[in-house]
Amino acid sequence: MALAFTFPGQGSQAPGMGRDLAAAFPAAREVFEEVDETLKQKLSKLMFEGPAEELTLTANAQPALMAMSLAVLRVLEREGGFALKDRVALVAGHSLGEYAALAAAGTFDVPTAARLLRLRGEAMQKATPPGTGAMAALLGAELDQAREICAAAAIDPETGKKDVVEVANDNGGGQIVVSGAAAAVDRAIEKAKEAGVKRAMKLPVSAPFHCALMAPAADAMAEALERATMRAPAVPVVANVTAAKATDPVEIRDLLVKQVTGTVRWRECILAMGAMGCERFVEIGSGKVLTGLMKRLMPDAKAEAVGTPADIEAFLKSL
């Protein structure tokens, strides 16, 4: 049964994440200490204890979620002799999770991934003035319908001016996230309700991720990735913006820049991995968001989350 590892994105963070791992395994503590040292911050303390508001800040949540995923992987390697390159066919990560997937596959070392994600979080935060952008979830909408809603909502009825509002995430299972200028996102919510979409609601996020308004952050990442040391991944990554395999570091660099403003094509990524023969999907890190999506996207596949000492033990026994 071909195995795929997936890595969660923003929204999966929670105070207490990693605390049990650090208590149980020196290998996990090493990863957390490495990230703390790189960022010159006790990020691990914030992960273990909160407060939630501080952990949720984009510049903290992004490296924290990567640290959690890599700590789980390091424990699997150290305690279970698990070799990703021998056991896993494909890796993929949701938005920032793509960096964790690439670090897991050896494209980035942990300090590089931590630095890039800290910069990415800060750059995404700074790309738009507070309150000017927003994101909304359209539940029960399909991709084409969401695109039509965005196209209609982009036009300001009073001025005729076109605002940015785009599909940010196609998560599958009728879950679409749109992102853009706050007024245009409000109009998209209204138009979604008029179109009979089951539920349309604003998300509690600090910036409009994965849309054209993030162009300044994409520029910042292009510069940082140009300087970063990157190796070919030990197993192919299925990229957010293409839903296709990538192994060439130059191409991966380009895809990571595009990912800042581009749609996260998660539904297509999962279906592509299934089409490439993956039948078992393991979410590595904090929470079970991707596992829930997975069960809706490919009900016949085996989907599980590995993030606690008990999960690690069960997973290693199942191999």
Side-chain angles (χ1 to χ4, degrees), residues 259-284:
Q259 192 227 57
V260 180
T261 54
T263 302
V264 175
R265 295 165 60 184
W266 191 251
R267 174 182 60 86
E268 293 170 82
C269 287
I270 293 300
L271 296 177
M273 291 161 96
M276 289 181 235
C278 291
E279 295 167 312
R280 186 180 183 187
F281 292 77
V282 183
E283 180 176 3
I284 301 291

mmCIF file of all heavy atoms in Angstrom, residues 259-284:
data_model
loop_
_atom_site.group_PDB
_atom_site.id
_atom_site.type_symbol
_atom_site.label_atom_id
_atom_site.label_comp_id
_atom_site.label_asym_id
_atom_site.label_seq_id
_atom_site.Cartn_x
_atom_site.Cartn_y
_atom_site.Cartn_z
ATOM 1 N N GLN A 259 3.219 30.189 -4.883
ATOM 2 C CA GLN A 259 2.270 29.711 -3.870
ATOM 3 C C GLN A 259 1.759 30.844 -2.975
ATOM 4 O O GLN A 259 0.642 30.794 -2.470
ATOM 5 C CB GLN A 259 2.991 28.631 -3.035
ATOM 6 C CG GLN A 259 2.114 27.828 -2.126
ATOM 7 C CD GLN A 259 2.709 27.733 -0.753
ATOM 8 O OE1 GLN A 259 2.976 28.734 -0.105
ATOM 9 N NE2 GLN A 259 2.912 26.520 -0.282
ATOM 10 N N VAL A 260 2.554 31.908 -2.787
ATOM 11 C CA VAL A 260 2.163 33.005 -1.889
ATOM 12 C C VAL A 260 0.904 33.711 -2.399
ATOM 13 O O VAL A 260 0.027 34.087 -1.624
ATOM 14 C CB VAL A 260 3.323 34.015 -1.715
ATOM 15 C CG1 VAL A 260 2.919 35.157 -0.793
ATOM 16 C CG2 VAL A 260 4.570 33.321 -1.166
ATOM 17 N N THR A 261 0.801 33.875 -3.717
ATOM 18 C CA THR A 261 -0.363 34.561 -4.297
ATOM 19 C C THR A 261 -1.328 33.580 -4.967
ATOM 20 O O THR A 261 -2.443 33.970 -5.339
ATOM 21 C CB THR A 261 0.073 35.592 -5.367
ATOM 22 O OG1 THR A 261 0.897 34.915 -6.326
ATOM 23 C CG2 THR A 261 0.855 36.739 -4.752
ATOM 24 N N GLY A 262 -0.912 32.330 -5.149
ATOM 25 C CA GLY A 262 -1.698 31.360 -5.925
ATOM 26 C C GLY A 262 -2.679 30.569 -5.073
ATOM 27 O O GLY A 262 -2.616 30.554 -3.850
ATOM 28 N N THR A 263 -3.587 29.885 -5.758
ATOM 29 C CA THR A 263 -4.578 29.024 -5.090
ATOM 30 C C THR A 263 -3.906 27.756 -4.576
ATOM 31 O O THR A 263 -3.122 27.126 -5.294
ATOM 32 C CB THR A 263 -5.693 28.620 -6.092
ATOM 33 O OG1 THR A 263 -6.296 29.808 -6.598
ATOM 34 C CG2 THR A 263 -6.752 27.760 -5.433
ATOM 35 N N VAL A 264 -4.233 27.376 -3.339
ATOM 36 C CA VAL A 264 -3.806 26.077 -2.803
ATOM 37 C C VAL A 264 -4.778 25.030 -3.358
ATOM 38 O O VAL A 264 -5.940 24.958 -2.935
ATOM 39 C CB VAL A 264 -3.826 26.074 -1.254
ATOM 40 C CG1 VAL A 264 -3.511 24.682 -0.715
ATOM 41 C CG2 VAL A 264 -2.832 27.091 -0.708
ATOM 42 N N ARG A 265 -4.297 24.236 -4.301
ATOM 43 C CA ARG A 265 -5.177 23.274 -5.000
ATOM 44 C C ARG A 265 -5.164 21.924 -4.265
ATOM 45 O O ARG A 265 -4.788 20.893 -4.811
ATOM 46 C CB ARG A 265 -4.703 23.131 -6.453
ATOM 47 C CG ARG A 265 -4.873 24.424 -7.237
ATOM 48 C CD ARG A 265 -4.108 24.443 -8.546
ATOM 49 N NE ARG A 265 -4.504 23.374 -9.459
ATOM 50 C CZ ARG A 265 -3.932 23.144 -10.629
ATOM 51 N NH1 ARG A 265 -2.937 23.909 -11.043
ATOM 52 N NH2 ARG A 265 -4.339 22.146 -11.403
ATOM 53 N N TRP A 266 -5.594 21.968 -3.005
ATOM 54 C CA TRP A 266 -5.441 20.788 -2.143
ATOM 55 C C TRP A 266 -6.273 19.602 -2.641
ATOM 56 O O TRP A 266 -5.803 18.462 -2.639
ATOM 57 C CB TRP A 266 -5.792 21.133 -0.692
ATOM 58 C CG TRP A 266 -5.389 20.038 0.238
ATOM 59 C CD1 TRP A 266 -6.195 19.178 0.919
ATOM 60 C CD2 TRP A 266 -4.044 19.635 0.549
ATOM 61 N NE1 TRP A 266 -5.444 18.280 1.637
ATOM 62 C CE2 TRP A 266 -4.121 18.543 1.428
ATOM 63 C CE3 TRP A 266 -2.782 20.112 0.166
ATOM 64 C CZ2 TRP A 266 -2.989 17.911 1.944
ATOM 65 C CZ3 TRP A 266 -1.649 19.484 0.670
ATOM 66 C CH2 TRP A 266 -1.762 18.390 1.550
ATOM 67 N N ARG A 267 -7.505 19.866 -3.057
ATOM 68 C CA ARG A 267 -8.362 18.775 -3.556
ATOM 69 C C ARG A 267 -7.658 18.060 -4.709
ATOM 70 O O ARG A 267 -7.560 16.820 -4.716
ATOM 71 C CB ARG A 267 -9.706 19.369 -4.025
ATOM 72 C CG ARG A 267 -10.648 18.366 -4.693
ATOM 73 C CD ARG A 267 -11.933 19.069 -5.157
ATOM 74 N NE ARG A 267 -11.652 20.126 -6.120
ATOM 75 C CZ ARG A 267 -11.536 19.947 -7.434
ATOM 76 N NH1 ARG A 267 -11.648 18.731 -7.956
ATOM 77 N NH2 ARG A 267 -11.297 20.961 -8.245
ATOM 78 N N GLU A 268 -7.137 18.838 -5.650
ATOM 79 C CA GLU A 268 -6.460 18.232 -6.802
ATOM 80 C C GLU A 268 -5.163 17.532 -6.389
ATOM 81 O O GLU A 268 -4.801 16.502 -6.980
ATOM 82 C CB GLU A 268 -6.154 19.294 -7.856
ATOM 83 C CG GLU A 268 -7.397 19.871 -8.516
ATOM 84 C CD GLU A 268 -7.056 21.076 -9.377
ATOM 85 O OE1 GLU A 268 -6.626 20.868 -10.526
ATOM 86 O OE2 GLU A 268 -7.196 22.216 -8.901
ATOM 87 N N CYS A 269 -4.459 18.081 -5.397
ATOM 88 C CA CYS A 269 -3.219 17.436 -4.907
ATOM 89 C C CYS A 269 -3.517 16.031 -4.393
ATOM 90 O O CYS A 269 -2.826 15.063 -4.730
ATOM 91 C CB CYS A 269 -2.580 18.256 -3.782
ATOM 92 S SG CYS A 269 -1.796 19.783 -4.321
ATOM 93 N N ILE A 270 -4.561 15.925 -3.552
ATOM 94 C CA ILE A 270 -4.905 14.623 -2.966
ATOM 95 C C ILE A 270 -5.358 13.647 -4.051
ATOM 96 O O ILE A 270 -4.931 12.479 -4.079
ATOM 97 C CB ILE A 270 -5.992 14.788 -1.879
ATOM 98 C CG1 ILE A 270 -5.434 15.562 -0.678
ATOM 99 C CG2 ILE A 270 -6.554 13.434 -1.435
ATOM 100 C CD1 ILE A 270 -4.247 14.926 0.028
ATOM 101 N N LEU A 271 -6.213 14.110 -4.958
ATOM 102 C CA LEU A 271 -6.691 13.224 -6.022
ATOM 103 C C LEU A 271 -5.537 12.795 -6.928
ATOM 104 O O LEU A 271 -5.489 11.642 -7.376
ATOM 105 C CB LEU A 271 -7.800 13.911 -6.831
ATOM 106 C CG LEU A 271 -9.086 14.224 -6.036
ATOM 107 C CD1 LEU A 271 -10.087 14.973 -6.903
ATOM 108 C CD2 LEU A 271 -9.719 12.955 -5.463
ATOM 109 N N ALA A 272 -4.566 13.711 -7.158
ATOM 110 C CA ALA A 272 -3.387 13.358 -7.976
ATOM 111 C C ALA A 272 -2.556 12.286 -7.275
ATOM 112 O O ALA A 272 -2.075 11.339 -7.918
ATOM 113 C CB ALA A 272 -2.543 14.602 -8.235
ATOM 114 N N MET A 273 -2.405 12.412 -5.958
ATOM 115 C CA MET A 273 -1.624 11.413 -5.212
ATOM 116 C C MET A 273 -2.324 10.053 -5.249
ATOM 117 O O MET A 273 -1.667 9.015 -5.376
ATOM 118 C CB MET A 273 -1.416 11.890 -3.767
ATOM 119 C CG MET A 273 -0.485 13.093 -3.688
ATOM 120 S SD MET A 273 -0.635 13.998 -2.129
ATOM 121 C CE MET A 273 0.692 13.289 -1.200
ATOM 122 N N GLY A 274 -3.642 10.086 -5.176
ATOM 123 C CA GLY A 274 -4.405 8.839 -5.309
ATOM 124 C C GLY A 274 -4.204 8.225 -6.688
ATOM 125 O O GLY A 274 -3.981 7.014 -6.827
ATOM 126 N N ALA A 275 -4.241 9.081 -7.714
ATOM 127 C CA ALA A 275 -4.059 8.603 -9.098
ATOM 128 C C ALA A 275 -2.651 8.044 -9.307
ATOM 129 O O ALA A 275 -2.436 7.179 -10.165
ATOM 130 C CB ALA A 275 -4.324 9.733 -10.087
ATOM 131 N N MET A 276 -1.687 8.547 -8.501
ATOM 132 C CA MET A 276 -0.305 8.044 -8.600
ATOM 133 C C MET A 276 -0.101 6.800 -7.731
ATOM 134 O O MET A 276 1.026 6.341 -7.557
ATOM 135 C CB MET A 276 0.685 9.140 -8.206
ATOM 136 C CG MET A 276 0.795 10.264 -9.218
ATOM 137 S SD MET A 276 2.010 11.500 -8.682
ATOM 138 C CE MET A 276 1.066 13.000 -8.707
ATOM 139 N N GLY A 277 -1.167 6.277 -7.159
ATOM 140 C CA GLY A 277 -1.085 4.990 -6.459
ATOM 141 C C GLY A 277 -1.063 5.049 -4.943
ATOM 142 O O GLY A 277 -0.967 4.005 -4.291
ATOM 143 N N CYS A 278 -1.153 6.237 -4.358
ATOM 144 C CA CYS A 278 -1.142 6.317 -2.883
ATOM 145 C C CYS A 278 -2.505 5.904 -2.330
ATOM 146 O O CYS A 278 -3.535 6.401 -2.769
ATOM 147 C CB CYS A 278 -0.798 7.739 -2.419
ATOM 148 S SG CYS A 278 0.913 8.153 -2.773
ATOM 149 N N GLU A 279 -2.459 4.992 -1.359
ATOM 150 C CA GLU A 279 -3.705 4.489 -0.756
ATOM 151 C C GLU A 279 -3.761 4.736 0.742
ATOM 152 O O GLU A 279 -4.789 4.528 1.370
ATOM 153 C CB GLU A 279 -3.828 2.980 -1.012
ATOM 154 C CG GLU A 279 -3.971 2.611 -2.475
ATOM 155 C CD GLU A 279 -3.773 1.126 -2.700
ATOM 156 O OE1 GLU A 279 -2.785 0.561 -2.181
ATOM 157 O OE2 GLU A 279 -4.612 0.518 -3.379
ATOM 158 N N ARG A 280 -2.641 5.158 1.307
ATOM 159 C CA ARG A 280 -2.597 5.443 2.741
ATOM 160 C C ARG A 280 -2.001 6.840 2.929
ATOM 161 O O ARG A 280 -0.899 7.108 2.467
ATOM 162 C CB ARG A 280 -1.747 4.395 3.469
ATOM 163 C CG ARG A 280 -1.769 4.544 4.975
ATOM 164 C CD ARG A 280 -0.926 3.481 5.665
ATOM 165 N NE ARG A 280 -1.034 3.604 7.115
ATOM 166 C CZ ARG A 280 -0.307 2.911 7.990
ATOM 167 N NH1 ARG A 280 0.574 2.018 7.558
ATOM 168 N NH2 ARG A 280 -0.452 3.093 9.291
ATOM 169 N N PHE A 281 -2.750 7.717 3.601
ATOM 170 C CA PHE A 281 -2.346 9.109 3.777
ATOM 171 C C PHE A 281 -2.170 9.394 5.260
ATOM 172 O O PHE A 281 -3.109 9.227 6.045
ATOM 173 C CB PHE A 281 -3.408 10.047 3.189
ATOM 174 C CG PHE A 281 -3.509 9.979 1.687
ATOM 175 C CD1 PHE A 281 -4.164 8.925 1.058
ATOM 176 C CD2 PHE A 281 -2.932 10.965 0.900
ATOM 177 C CE1 PHE A 281 -4.249 8.854 -0.328
ATOM 178 C CE2 PHE A 281 -3.013 10.903 -0.494
ATOM 179 C CZ PHE A 281 -3.667 9.852 -1.110
ATOM 180 N N VAL A 282 -0.967 9.802 5.628
ATOM 181 C CA VAL A 282 -0.658 10.047 7.037
ATOM 182 C C VAL A 282 -0.327 11.516 7.232
ATOM 183 O O VAL A 282 0.616 12.039 6.632
ATOM 184 C CB VAL A 282 0.526 9.154 7.499
ATOM 185 C CG1 VAL A 282 0.804 9.362 8.984
ATOM 186 C CG2 VAL A 282 0.223 7.684 7.228
ATOM 187 N N GLU A 283 -1.127 12.185 8.065
ATOM 188 C CA GLU A 283 -0.920 13.602 8.377
ATOM 189 C C GLU A 283 0.078 13.685 9.530
ATOM 190 O O GLU A 283 -0.166 13.137 10.605
ATOM 191 C CB GLU A 283 -2.261 14.232 8.773
ATOM 192 C CG GLU A 283 -2.170 15.695 9.107
ATOM 193 C CD GLU A 283 -3.538 16.312 9.407
ATOM 194 O OE1 GLU A 283 -4.549 15.572 9.413
ATOM 195 O OE2 GLU A 283 -3.587 17.525 9.645
ATOM 196 N N ILE A 284 1.194 14.366 9.292
ATOM 197 C CA ILE A 284 2.289 14.413 10.261
ATOM 198 C C ILE A 284 2.310 15.778 10.951
ATOM 199 O O ILE A 284 2.557 16.794 10.296
ATOM 200 C CB ILE A 284 3.646 14.162 9.548
ATOM 201 C CG1 ILE A 284 3.666 12.801 8.843
ATOM 202 C CG2 ILE A 284 4.813 14.285 10.523
ATOM 203 C CD1 ILE A 284 3.679 11.597 9.750
#
